[in-house]
């Protein structure tokens, strides 16, 4: 192992690619902010209990993938593997649900940790932007969230993604289906681990990726045939609202998702350019989660979109985001005196809101101009002894190549004018 290596399954975001990550986070957040979602931030770790109860004791996330630790004080903590349980915990702790308006609409952005087998698109540290709407059961809310995710992806220019949609039923009809499914699954030829899964979380078996398992599932009872009238009507309403909004989706009755807390609406955004790890985001309704973690009844819905995989999706579609250069002006001093004066000019520009950078380290003109080019700055300011004696700096337009002397006292105003 080389000395400079990030831990297995992780990677660093470095310029220039890191700028794309920031832009993706921003693009996902923008439609949420415009739709009444407030920003929430929770700790990177929680008590293990929260995820064990919330995400579900039988899920891979809790049994295999959680980074758990015992503190010196004896607390059992886990690095957060997902956002929903933490956000709901925080909303309950702050009594946001009692403050008046329901639903409580929140969005978040941060790092998540899962001890998974690393591969392309699957990491042990990854980042998500998520949204949760807490405390209201209304198909319009489910539709709103799906529409906003679709809008976010489209604003990035993504086209090769699909939306998979399903309903998992509620506490009335799901148990009936669960039993029918278990009866069916128990007669199949399956390995020990999958047999155990039948007893704990049979819906997850439907999600098994292995061909020999899938082959046996062709005649499995369908959840659709077991949905109660209320769930059916709810789901039809969500579907109709999406269609009315022009959002194309595919009904996928095998979509169960990896977390136990989902009820009714579940959905996943998949991208066709990503290979095995094709899910770029997902979510659904979790009407029972609040009670599972000890809170009141608060039917809710939310999603999380993966930033890492969204960036991979952009790359797969060959989309380059139109990221404006951050530096507008680059200052190149020639000599000691010029260094002091130009640094003063740069500081003034920055305070006036003009993005400016500086050729540090007293390099020669040639090297400094190379840096100026690389910075992407539209203008450079060059000054030597003679310029200073005349009280001017040379202002060069890097696009046209035109250069002219501007009085020191007018540089800031001139640049502000030119940069609009
Ligand atoms: P989930 O909470 O499993 O539904 O994940 C939501 C989204 O987070 C997924 O669609 C992925 O984009 C992203 N994600 C989940 N796990 C990972 C991982 N191990 N590496 C990278 N992205 C992930």
């Amino acid at each position: 192992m080389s000395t400079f290596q990030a831990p297995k399954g992780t990677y660093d975001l470095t310029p220039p690619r890191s700028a794309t990550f920031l832009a993706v986070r921003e693009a996902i957040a923008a439609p949420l902010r415009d739709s009444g979602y407030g920003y929430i931030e929770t700790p990177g770790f929680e008590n293990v209990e929260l995820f064990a109860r919330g995400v579900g004791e039988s899920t891979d996330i809790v049994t295999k993938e959680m980074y758990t630790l015992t503190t010196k004080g004896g607390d059992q903590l886990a690095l957060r593997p997902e956002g929903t349980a933490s956000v709901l915990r925080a909303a309950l702790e702050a009594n946001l649900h009692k403050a008046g308006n329901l639903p409580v609409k929140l969005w978040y952005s941060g790092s998540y940790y899962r001890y998974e087998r690393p591969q392309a698109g699957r990491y042990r540290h990854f980042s998500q932007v998520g949204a949760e709407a807490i405390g209201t059961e209304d198909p319009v809310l489910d539709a709103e969230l799906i529409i906003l995710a679709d809008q976010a992806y489209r604003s990035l220019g993504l086209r090769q993604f699909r939306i998979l949609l399903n309903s998992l039923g509620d506490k009335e009809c799901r148990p009936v289906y669960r039993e029918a499914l278990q009866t069916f699954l128990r007669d199949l030829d399956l390995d020990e681990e999958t047999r155990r899964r039948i007893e704990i979380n049979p819906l997850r078996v439907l999600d098994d990726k292995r061909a020999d398992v899938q082959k046996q599932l062709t005649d499995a009872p369908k959840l659709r045939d077991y949905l109660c009238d209320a769930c059916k009507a709810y789901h039809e309403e969500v579907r109709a609202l999406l269609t009315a909004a022009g959002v194309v989706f595919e009904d996928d009755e095998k979509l169960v998702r990896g977390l136990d807390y989902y009820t009714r609406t579940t959905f996943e955004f998949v991208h066709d350019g990503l290979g095995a790890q094709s899910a770029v985001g997902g979510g659904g309704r979790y009407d029972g989660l609040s009670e599972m973690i000890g809170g009141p009844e608060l039917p809710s819905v939310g999603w999380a979109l993966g930033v890492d995989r969204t960036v991979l999706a952009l790359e797969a579609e060959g989309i380059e985001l139109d990221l404006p250069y951050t530096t507008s002006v680059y200052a190149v001093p020639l000599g000691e005196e010029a260094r002091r004066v130009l640094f003063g000019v740069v500081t003034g520009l920055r305070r006036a809101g003009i993005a400016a950078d500086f050729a540090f380290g007293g390099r020669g003109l040639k090297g400094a101009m190379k840096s100026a080019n690389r910075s992407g700055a539209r203008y450079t300011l060059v000054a030597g002894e003679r310029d200073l004696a005349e009280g001017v700096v040379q202002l060069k337009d890097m696009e046209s190549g035109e250069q002219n002397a501007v009085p020191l006292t007018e540089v800031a105003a001139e640049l502000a004018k030119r940069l609009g």
Side-chain angles (χ1 to χ4, degrees):
M1 192 175 73
S2 102
T3 325
F4 305 117
Q5 188 156 32
K8 184 173 173 189
T10 72
Y11 64 101
D12 304 301
L13 296 179
T14 52
R17 198 165 173 253
S18 53
T20 306
F21 277 75
L22 276 183
V24 164
R25 289 198 184 106
E26 181 53 35
I28 300 173
L32 296 169
R33 261 195 237 113
D34 287 348
S35 309
Y37 289 74
Y39 180 66
I40 186 167
E41 203 166 308
T42 64
F45 50 80
E46 296 274 352
N47 288 318
V48 164
E49 261 308 289
L50 176 69
F51 301 118
R53 283 205 271 168
V55 178
E57 303 269 17
S58 70
T59 59
D60 283 354
I61 291 181
V62 168
T63 54
K64 298 182 193 157
E65 298 169 5
M66 228 160 33
Y67 282 90
T68 51
L69 62 117
T70 307
T71 64
K72 292 199 176 85
D75 295 331
Q76 300 278 337
L77 302 177
L79 299 187
R80 58 184 181 189
E82 61 103 46
T84 303
S86 310
V87 168
L88 187 56
R89 192 269 308 141
L92 289 169
E93 185 173 338
N95 279 317
L96 297 184
H97 60 298
K98 291 185 186 156
N101 278 353
L102 289 179
V104 177
K105 301 210 286 188
L106 301 166
W107 77 273
Y108 58 89
S109 171
S111 293
Y112 297 85
Y113 308 86
R114 291 183 197 173
Y115 188 72
E116 295 196 83
R117 198 166 43 77
Q119 63 183 84
R122 191 163 71 189
Y123 312 105
R124 291 180 171 177
H125 165 268
F126 56 97
S127 109
Q128 292 182 336
V129 176
E132 315 289 349
I134 297 164
T136 304
E137 189 183 86
D138 184 342
V140 179
L141 201 52
D142 305 41
E144 167 174 293
L145 276 162
I146 296 172
I147 292 166
L148 292 176
D150 178 78
Q151 191 179 324
Y153 282 143
R154 285 186 184 281
S155 77
L156 286 164
L158 289 170
R159 292 295 177 267
Q160 292 164 25
F161 67 88
R162 292 176 291 129
I163 301 172
L164 310 179
L165 184 68
N166 194 20
S167 171
L168 292 181
D170 62 7
K171 57 177 187 269
E172 301 302 321
C173 54
R174 181 122 65 108
V176 184
Y177 172 68
R178 189 174 190 264
E179 229 174 276
L181 183 63
Q182 281 176 322
T183 308
F184 172 85
L185 293 173
R186 282 184 195 123
D187 284 339
L188 302 184
D189 177 22
L190 298 165
D191 58 277
E192 266 313 301
E193 192 184 335
T194 312
R195 296 204 150 276
R196 266 198 301 279
R197 188 169 286 161
I198 295 174
E199 304 312 318
I200 310 166
N201 195 346
L203 268 75
R204 293 282 292 140
V205 179
L206 298 178
D207 207 21
D208 201 306
K209 299 284 183 284
R210 291 171 295 182
D212 61 310
V213 177
Q214 279 303 324
K215 211 170 58 205
Q216 300 185 68
L217 296 175
T218 329
D219 295 327
K222 304 254 185 292
L223 183 50
R224 191 181 46 194
D225 301 329
Y226 286 78
L227 288 185
C228 61
D229 287 343
C231 282
K232 253 188 231 160
Y234 194 97
H235 195 56
E236 279 318 310
E237 185 64 20
V238 174
R239 294 177 77 255
L241 289 162
L242 292 177
T243 304
V247 171
V248 179
F249 58 88
E250 297 169 22
D251 294 304
D252 180 357
E253 43 191 38
K254 292 228 169 82
L255 181 71
V256 295
R257 315 237 329 112
L259 298 83
D260 274 357
Y261 52 58
Y262 285 112
T263 51
R264 291 197 170 170
T265 313
T266 46
F267 49 89
E268 204 153 80
F269 286 73
V270 293
H271 192 276
D272 291 324
L274 294 187
Q277 303 304 316
S278 63
V280 285
R285 186 154 271 288
Y286 49 95
D287 293 341
L289 180 58
S290 174
E291 287 152 294
M292 280 160 77
I293 65 170
E297 191 182 330
L298 281 173
S300 307
V301 56
W303 51 241
L305 308 187
V307 177
D308 310 73
R309 285 186 203 166
T310 303
V311 171
L312 291 175
L314 287 171
E315 289 168 359
E317 287 199 41
I319 298 168
E320 288 210 19
L321 298 181
D322 189 16
L323 302 173
Y325 280 111
T326 47
T327 303
S328 303
V329 180
Y330 198 93
V332 177
L334 304 172
E336 274 307 308
E337 175 64 9
R339 209 142 74 116
R340 277 190 291 274
V341 174
L342 271 194
F343 186 60
V345 171
V346 162
T347 300
L349 290 175
R350 288 171 175 167
R351 286 179 179 154
I354 296 173
D357 204 356
F358 188 79
F360 296 95
R363 271 165 307 160
L365 180 62
K366 213 169 141 205
M369 286 312 280
K370 241 188 222 161
S371 301
N373 259 322
R374 228 178 275 136
S375 78
R378 173 69 195 272
Y379 297 100
T380 49
L381 294 175
V382 184
E385 307 290 307
R386 187 145 29 107
D387 299 307
L388 295 183
E390 289 170 20
V392 300
V393 292
Q394 302 296 328
L395 172 59
K396 183 175 178 185
D397 183 328
M398 300 294 275
E399 242 165 57
S400 65
E402 242 168 78
Q403 181 172 315
N404 53 310
V406 178
L408 261 170
T409 48
E410 289 166 27
V411 180
E414 176 65 21
L415 279 168
K417 193 177 79 190
R418 291 208 199 179
L419 287 163

